[in-house]
Amino acid sequence: MAYEAAEQPPYFNIDPDRALAELGQPTSTGGFAEIAAACARGREDLASRGLNEAGQKSLRLFSTWEITKYLIPVAVAHFRRVLKQNPALPQGQSETEGGAKWFTLDEVLRLRAHFASEGSKAKEYQPYRPKGVPAKLVAVANFKGGVGKTSTAAHLAMSAALDGYRVLVLDLDSQGSMTSIFGGQVADEWQTVFPLLARHYGSHLQAENRARIARGEDPLPLDDTLSEAMKVTTREVIQSTHWPNIDLIGAQLNLYWAEFQIPVWRMQSRGWKLWDALTEMLEADGVLEDYDLVFIDTPPALGYLTINGLAAADILLVPLGASFLEFDSTGRFFDMLHSTFASIETGENMAARALGRDELAFEWDAVRAVVTRYDGAQQGELAALMQAYLGQTLSPHKQDFTALIGQAGEQVNGIYEADYRDFNRETYVRGRMTFDQTYAAFKRLLLGIWRRDELAAEGPKSGEESRELAGSAG
Ligand SMILES: Nc1ncnc2c1ncn2[C@@H]1O[C@H](COP(=O)(O)OP(=O)(O)OP(=O)(O)O)[C@@H](O)[C@H]1O
Ligand SMILES: [Mg+2]
């Protein structure tokens, strides 16, 4: 707060006795429980304001204006005509007699499917996705906190869902922010990825025990947790959300326990490939065929959960602000990524070479740093410098700082859940553009990768053509 020039600054003349009078008693361990309980009551109060009677989040409706501008590329008049001609299609609901028509997202998806099958083949009603390939996994990570990991992951998940993709969101952060955004209900660690990781270890232990028994050694017992986990499948921990085409594997505080449990398992059995746990469980349960995209939100740390998420990912996005401190610590994050994955490869490959097996080499389809909360007026110079040093690794699109994120209200999360009528139309359009562009930059990356996969699957001849294509485009 500003003070008069004649006044002294606020940190002079603080009276110790008055400070003591304001202080209160020291805090004991029990004090934390009281504070936590007060937070929980407040949280419940806040959360209840955005939920319907059943305690479930609900998604807003979408207007004809919004559908024809943002979701299905048709002219309003044509849209209305097609609906009129097809009474079996969702007709929407209006708040007033003859007023604008509003549709649920489920209805929008049905309408889009109709246009895709009946409408002009020249138009992109359904987003590109090669047939018969599993979902792409996208991890959003940075060990620096508050850089926009969760906001970026949540907005990308929502944009992709609006675009027509089937999305699974995986929360690896025991803070559970992503889970709250999608209204997830997680009672304990058994409704998170924890049992999947435990099952992966349990299966490894069972295989190892067979070898032990064959050698005449005693098997290592599976404790209660592992035995219980052996029965859990990925589909059991997936919950649906208030978005018809977004599902969730949630997180809550107990998930943090995995950070202590995983190293214990690893000590017990050195051969356990913990970094494969997540990928192999999702694959084993056939989940990757059910989705187009899996977005993985990670905690601000490079712990075992993050390593699992990163190892599972095809695409790695690293959000950071265009500030010196964030650039600096992001550089160190990449350094940590290098040493972590290099040491896993070295450890594995000594054994692999000795046994004449294939060597382990991690590979990501693409790794991109993404500038978030960008303020062009203040940060242009730093962003240009970052671009110069990072080159292609830095996504050319910068996600602007937008007040719309914080303002959207407690019951909605981010721009796509907000009702545009709550904002000045221009403010809305600009705010939405920020995240539409973040999505467009991501989708460009995704389509390039899918196309590369598709050409590779078609065989070497097409590969040759694709190189020619790439050459002529460059
Ligand atoms: N483009 C943006 N414009 C304005 N505010 C933003 C933007 N992106 C994120 N924020 C805000 O910045 C804060 C941190 O964002 P977020 O929670 O996504 O970061 P995070 O990296 O997931 O944090 P953590 O490390 O704690 O998981 C939030 O208050 C969020 O609303
Ligand atoms: Mg977060």
Side-chain angles (χ1 to χ4, degrees):
M1 208 179 284
Y3 52 92
E4 298 297 312
E7 271 178 52
Q8 290 199 325
Y11 45 81
F12 285 139
N13 300 320
I14 295 174
D15 175 34
D17 283 315
R18 279 180 57 192
L20 171 61
E22 294 159 6
L23 181 64
Q25 295 302 312
T27 302
S28 65
T29 311
F32 290 136
E34 285 166 32
I35 300 170
C39 290
R41 284 193 298 274
R43 185 197 176 281
E44 214 161 285
D45 181 13
L46 268 177
S48 69
R49 298 176 198 207
L51 306 171
N52 65 22
E53 300 78 38
Q56 293 285 322
K57 273 192 158 190
S58 56
L59 187 60
R60 68 187 176 88
L61 301 178
F62 296 81
S63 74
T64 303
W65 172 76
E66 190 177 9
I67 293 170
T68 53
K69 177 168 170 69
Y70 289 108
L71 305 178
I72 306 178
V74 288
V76 179
H78 180 60
F79 180 80
R80 293 209 176 103
R81 201 162 359 140
V82 170
L83 257 56
K84 212 169 188 181
Q85 286 163 356
N86 299 273
L89 286 176
Q91 298 293 315
Q93 55 198 76
S94 45
E95 291 170 343
T96 54
E97 185 69 24
K101 288 281 202 286
W102 293 76
F103 300 80
T104 66
L105 183 54
D106 231 349
E107 292 173 332
V108 175
L109 297 175
R110 277 163 60 200
L111 291 171
R112 176 186 279 134
H114 175 84
F115 279 99
S117 65
E118 307 288 323
S120 156
K121 292 286 166 264
K123 280 200 174 169
E124 186 187 320
Y125 291 116
Q126 299 281 12
Y128 168 85
R129 189 239 207 265
K131 287 199 179 53
V133 299
K136 280 288 177 198
L137 282 79
V138 186
V140 185
N142 192 336
F143 80 153
K144 178 114 181 104
V147 294
K149 293 181 288 296
T150 305
S151 305
T152 301
H155 279 86
L156 284 176
M158 292 178 191
S159 339
L162 290 173
D163 200 17
Y165 288 120
R166 298 162 305 164
V167 175
L168 175 66
V169 168
L170 224 157
D171 194 353
L172 293 184
D173 186 354
S174 54
Q175 294 181 83
S177 309
M178 197 68 162
T179 302
S180 307
I181 290 176
F182 287 104
Q185 307 285 329
V186 184
D188 55 31
E189 69 273 28
W190 289 92
Q191 282 148 30
T192 71
V193 293
F194 177 78
L196 305 181
L197 305 181
R199 190 179 118 210
H200 189 266
Y201 175 67
S203 313
H204 166 78
L205 211 54
Q206 285 177 334
E208 200 175 87
N209 280 341
R210 285 192 287 276
R212 279 173 176 267
I213 292 164
R215 288 197 303 265
E217 293 169 26
D218 286 338
L220 295 166
L222 263 68
D223 64 17
D224 290 351
T225 302
L226 292 176
S227 309
E228 200 53 40
M230 294 310 290
K231 298 178 233 154
V232 180
T233 65
T234 308
R235 282 197 178 78
E236 287 167 54
V237 296
I238 291 179
Q239 44 184 311
S240 47
T241 72
H242 57 300
W243 284 70
N245 52 351
I246 301 181
D247 290 341
L248 170 75
I249 301 181
Q252 59 103 274
L253 210 54
N254 292 7
L255 178 58
Y256 198 69
W257 172 247
E259 297 292 348
F260 299 98
Q261 185 61 72
I262 290 173
V264 173
W265 290 335
R266 179 90 169 131
M267 287 288 281
Q268 189 179 37
S269 176
R270 284 267 148 213
W272 178 46
K273 297 177 169 53
L274 68 93
W275 50 89
D276 282 343
L278 194 54
T279 332
E280 290 186 355
M281 288 298 97
L282 294 175
E283 278 170 4
D285 292 338
V287 167
L288 298 181
E289 274 78 61
D290 296 350
Y291 299 96
D292 302 310
L293 287 163
V294 182
F295 288 99
I296 307 172
D297 190 31
T298 61
L302 190 51
Y304 292 107
L305 289 166
T306 305
I307 288 172
N308 247 294
L310 293 173
D314 300 300
I315 299 172
L316 170 59
L317 301 179
V318 180
L320 78 160
S323 77
F324 175 78
L325 286 180
E326 292 185 34
F327 184 44
D328 184 38
S329 76
T330 300
R332 276 180 283 124
F333 176 60
F334 279 110
D335 215 13
M336 284 166 65
L337 287 182
H338 169 250
S339 45
T340 303
F341 285 100
S343 78
I344 295 174
E345 285 172 353
T346 311
E348 282 300 292
N349 291 341
M350 278 193 313
R353 268 192 293 273
L355 298 166
R357 272 193 261 145
D358 280 351
E359 293 194 16
L360 170 73
F362 290 99
E363 190 181 73
W364 289 268
D365 286 334
V367 172
R368 291 289 181 277
V370 181
V371 169
T372 57
R373 296 158 297 133
Y374 180 62
D375 173 0
Q378 307 285 333
Q379 300 177 319
E381 201 179 328
L382 201 92
L385 182 139
M386 284 163 61
Q387 190 76 70
Y389 283 94
L390 285 174
Q392 199 192 23
T393 300
L394 188 71
S395 171
H397 165 68
K398 299 174 201 68
Q399 179 194 108
D400 283 332
F401 183 94
T402 164
L404 280 186
I405 285 203
Q407 268 180 15
E410 60 268 16
Q411 75 275 33
V412 293
N413 290 284
I415 188 79
Y416 296 113
E417 291 193 346
D419 187 327
Y420 59 81
R421 290 170 300 177
D422 295 343
F423 304 95
N424 163 309
R425 180 78 64 108
E426 210 173 295
T427 313
Y428 177 84
V429 167
R430 222 178 321 113
R432 179 171 182 144
M433 181 66 91
T434 298
F435 281 95
D436 282 350
Q437 281 172 340
T438 300
Y439 175 61
F442 166 77
K443 188 177 174 185
R444 182 171 283 272
L445 205 61
L446 173 71
L447 297 201
I449 291 166
W450 261 335
R451 187 74 185 123
R452 184 164 69 193
D453 292 350
E454 201 176 28
L455 291 172
E458 280 168 17
K461 186 174 170 289
S462 311
E464 194 82 333
E465 279 164 17
S466 84
R467 265 194 300 282
E468 275 166 29
L469 258 172
S472 63

